[in-house]
Amino acid sequence: MNSRRTTFFFLAISFSAVGCSAPKVEPRAPTVAVSAADMPAQESWNVTLMVSSDGKTKTIVSAHHAAEYRQGEKQEIRLDGGVSVQLINSDGAATLMTAGRGIVHDNQDIEAFDNVVIRSADNTVIRTEYINRSSQERMIRSDKYVTITSPTRTIRGYGFESDDAMKRYKIFHASGESFSK
């Protein structure tokens, strides 16, 4: 009877030891690769960028969050969490633009997306979902639906082009209303 107990005890310990061993794990490669190009070179929060030329401030950009991306010689700063841009003309008057997010390119061109509102010094207001502002030409453009409201008229349409001060603008496919006093 002792040998039966010893055999049973030996088998119980052997099965317990086999059942408790660590599982064999084989190394795996990650299923999703993340490249350095997808990661920002640096990030900042509650940021203000000033662009100047000949000692004069031309543009002031503020955002809740900014991430700088670099690819070769190219650089862009992606802004989100609410963006505010002041475009200062030669007279010192500012055109204010707000948007949900934006991009400042290395040539100082600015793109703005999501609920873009531009207000000039004379209270002309442009509303659209996207704009592209050329720093060299100092022009604002969009190919999206746009509404331009001034104290005397409202114009709607698809696609527009304007100078920074919003003094001269055109809508490419327009409809609108005009009020007479």
Side-chain angles (χ1 to χ4, degrees), residues 29-44:
T31 56
V32 177
V34 176
S35 72
D38 297 333
M39 302 295 292
Q42 62 182 344
E43 292 182 271
S44 298

Side-chain angles (χ1 to χ4, degrees), residues 110-121:
I110 299 171
E111 289 183 271
F113 310 86
D114 304 334
N115 194 28
V116 180
V117 178
I118 306 168
R119 183 178 304 275
S120 71

